[in-house]
Amino acid sequence: MHVCRVAPGAAPDEHGGSIMLLTDESLEQTARDHLLLHFARNGSTAPLLVLERGEGPYVFDTEGARYLDGLSSLFCAQLGYSYGEEMATVAGAQLQGLAFSTVWGAAHPTAIELSATLAELMPGDLDHVFFTGGGSESVESAWKLVRQYHVANGEPQRTKAIARDVAYHGVTLGALSFTGVPKMKEPFGRPAIDVTHVSTTNRFRAADGEDEAAFCRRLLDELEQTIQAEGPDSVAMIIMEPVQNAGGCLTPPEGYWQGVREIADRHGILLVSDEVICGFGRLGEWLGVERYGVVPDLATTAKGITSAYAPMGAVMVSDKVAAPLYEADRTLLHGITFAGHPLCAAIALRNLEIFRREGILQHVRDTEPYMEAKLNELRALPIVGDVRGAGFFWALELVKDDEDTRLDADEREQLLRGFLPGRLLEAGVIARPDDRGDAVLHLAPPLIADHAFVDDLVARVGDVLTDAGRELERITSKGA
């Protein structure tokens, strides 16, 4: 297949500009010459996956090969890839009406309607919306809203935050402060915000991990002790994901979120649920934290708010936190040019309409037990030490032996970065080998995936991990 594509380059076009014709064979080289890939080794000589189209829960590369999207394109494509025509119609109508307007001291109908729709869908009193362009912007915006709340209430000394170890909350400099992955932070100097990190909810290998009550009590005691050590009246916010992504889909023990909520309230600290991944259906709820019976003071969102048909994020804000911002003489000291973009807002509205029309949340709830059961079949493989997650958000932890021994850094390098990426693509699967100290494989298919897709995904992943087990044996024997 030799499809020509238009890009900046050599030949003149009808408007006096220039174009370059790219064939499939030249796309990969052109990407290597000009496109800096995010969180990638840009000097790698491994084949580069170049995706061209999608259909349902599948994506296709420029050679026509089909892949199961086992990651929802980085936890974004909640609805998969079959609503493009409908979204294009919505986008076209919006662009022909009002192509752009900010929400800086003004508004437009689409942003107003979306804010009202979100307020209706959110739990409790999360009735106010601050739009952003994506996840990191949502996290940084939440911090600025939290600070303005405390300043307005006469507590400007609340300048600290608490997050969890290993957690990923973004990599712009403000959001990076909350992220608990040291290697992502060290090259960029002192964090912009004073953040203390507490333990994750990873039960695997924890001495008390199988005692739900004891495990929960230990984690909450640590949080309380950390707040006391920092000074309760100096802490502005606690930020956590309902199910933590980094580290491999770490679910909370029973009572954990209620305990965090109680501690935050007792000390006057605002609680932020980072819903960039868990929100909009990933856990079968509009907000993942609803699954655990808690309403946060703020919720950061992105990704699923548009199912990635356009870039957008939002911070959901409670009545309490928003109240000072409605004082007549107070200015909200934050703004983002493209936040609340009419095109993105129109697509988000249609995305939410499709969610309700197609019963997406209920489909996730109904399918979760089947997916969990199928994934747990992979525990029979010696390389699979743990299977954990919720909803359509799962991780497999890979181990060295029956004692659940961790892979060392060199073994993780060879297996997660050397072997698995190519073998997964060879099997027609997009999934995410991840290394935050533990060897993890993330699986998070589009929320439209059915039992047949789950069967196919698990079967292919099982074949890949069987081969990975053999590869790990080779690596360990070579190193012995």
Side-chain angles (χ1 to χ4, degrees):
M1 181 172 70
H2 298 276
V3 180
C4 293
R5 296 170 176 82
V6 177
D13 65 16
E14 68 270 27
H15 301 294
S18 62
I19 62 172
M20 175 172 59
L21 300 181
L22 296 179
T23 63
D24 289 339
E25 287 76 9
S26 65
L27 275 170
E28 181 174 342
Q29 187 57 51
T30 303
R32 295 191 186 285
D33 291 344
H34 303 293
L35 178 63
L36 286 172
L37 301 172
H38 298 203
F39 274 108
R41 295 180 175 180
N42 281 280
S44 172
T45 58
L48 177 66
L49 177 66
V50 181
L51 296 176
E52 185 170 51
R53 69 183 184 90
E55 180 181 323
Y58 305 98
V59 288
F60 300 79
D61 68 16
T62 53
E63 299 295 324
R66 189 185 79 165
Y67 302 86
L68 284 71
D69 185 357
L71 200 62
S72 299
S73 193
L74 205 59
F75 319 108
C76 294
Q78 314 292 66
L79 295 178
Y81 305 92
S82 292
Y83 293 92
E85 184 175 349
E86 185 172 347
M87 293 297 191
T89 299
V90 168
Q94 181 63 56
L95 290 174
Q96 291 177 66
L98 179 67
F100 179 61
S101 175
T102 72
V103 289
W104 286 53
H108 56 85
T110 319
I112 295 170
E113 183 181 353
L114 178 57
S115 66
T117 299
L118 288 168
E120 174 193 346
L121 297 176
M122 293 295 108
D125 65 343
L126 293 170
D127 291 335
H128 311 269
V129 186
F130 184 92
F131 288 117
T132 72
S136 290
E137 286 185 0
S138 291
V139 169
E140 294 199 10
S141 297
W143 171 250
K144 294 184 77 173
L145 291 166
V146 164
R147 281 289 299 143
Q148 290 178 80
Y149 168 83
H150 288 304
V151 169
N153 285 316
E155 294 189 290
Q157 80 284 354
R158 290 188 180 269
T159 59
K160 300 177 183 178
I162 294 174
R164 292 189 293 206
D165 289 333
V166 188
Y168 179 92
H169 294 289
V171 287
T172 53
L173 287 177
L176 189 62
S177 302
F178 304 109
T179 290
V181 186
K183 68 181 180 181
M184 291 183 179
K185 303 156 74 86
E186 288 164 355
F188 306 108
R190 192 175 187 281
I193 302 161
D194 189 354
V195 181
T196 301
H197 293 85
V198 296
S199 296
T200 72
T201 60
N202 191 352
R203 297 174 176 81
F204 191 49
R205 300 191 185 89
D208 54 359
E210 294 186 7
D211 184 336
E212 194 91 350
F215 184 53
C216 182
R217 184 167 56 252
R218 174 169 63 83
L219 295 174
L220 294 176
D221 286 347
E222 180 192 1
L223 177 60
E224 175 69 36
Q225 291 161 13
T226 300
I227 291 170
Q228 293 297 335
E230 294 297 323
D233 65 349
S234 73
V235 180
M237 87 180 197
I238 298 168
I239 183 169
M240 298 176 171
E241 299 161 275
V243 173
Q244 183 172 315
N245 172 45
C249 295
L250 306 178
T251 58
E254 185 177 353
Y256 177 79
W257 270 96
Q258 288 87 346
V260 173
R261 174 79 272 182
E262 187 277 327
I263 290 171
D265 289 342
R266 179 155 40 85
H267 294 299
I269 300 167
L270 295 181
L271 178 59
V272 180
S273 182
D274 185 345
E275 301 275 351
V276 171
I277 289 176
C278 293
F280 298 102
R282 184 59 53 188
L283 302 187
E285 305 289 346
W286 292 114
L287 290 184
V289 75
E290 292 183 75
R291 184 180 177 115
Y292 304 109
V294 163
V295 178
D297 297 301
L298 303 95
T300 56
T301 70
K303 297 184 185 287
I305 195 172
T306 62
S307 290
Y309 279 93
M312 193 177 210
V315 184
M316 302 304 307
V317 184
S318 67
D319 290 343
K320 178 178 78 172
V321 175
L325 302 173
Y326 286 94
E327 295 172 3
D329 60 347
R330 190 175 300 281
T331 300
L332 197 169
L333 297 174
H334 189 44
I336 300 166
T337 300
F338 292 117
H341 193 294
L343 173 65
C344 302
I347 288 175
L349 278 167
R350 183 54 59 93
N351 177 58
L352 300 176
E353 178 186 320
I354 294 169
F355 260 73
R356 290 183 285 191
R357 185 178 81 209
E358 303 292 342
I360 298 297
L361 299 185
Q362 191 59 50
H363 175 71
V364 172
R365 296 168 193 151
D366 292 344
T367 308
E368 176 183 347
Y370 186 81
M371 186 179 299
E372 181 176 12
K374 293 298 293 184
L375 288 170
N376 271 305
E377 292 176 6
L378 297 177
R379 289 179 182 271
L381 298 175
I383 196 173
V384 177
D386 195 25
V387 177
R388 52 186 182 251
F392 272 42
F393 187 36
W394 294 88
L396 313 176
E397 183 163 340
L398 309 183
V399 298
K400 194 183 306 190
D401 52 38
D402 291 340
E403 302 300 316
D404 295 329
T405 305
R406 284 186 169 94
L407 278 64
D408 64 31
D410 183 63
E411 291 162 348
R412 296 196 305 273
E413 172 71 22
Q414 293 188 60
L415 191 71
L416 298 178
R417 298 179 183 87
F419 178 79
L420 276 175
R423 181 65 185 88
L424 284 163
L425 294 182
E426 180 185 301
V429 174
I430 295 177
R432 187 192 197 192
D434 193 40
D435 177 9
R436 314 289 169 104
D438 292 315
V440 169
L441 181 66
H442 285 284
L443 295 170
L447 308 187
I448 59 169
D450 59 13
H451 286 198
F453 182 94
V454 172
D455 288 345
D456 196 8
L457 177 65
V458 173
R460 294 182 190 218
V461 168
D463 289 344
V464 169
L465 292 181
T466 297
D467 290 347
R470 298 190 187 103
E471 177 67 11
L472 183 59
E473 289 179 2
R474 186 195 68 76
I475 293 168
T476 53
S477 64
K478 183 179 177 182

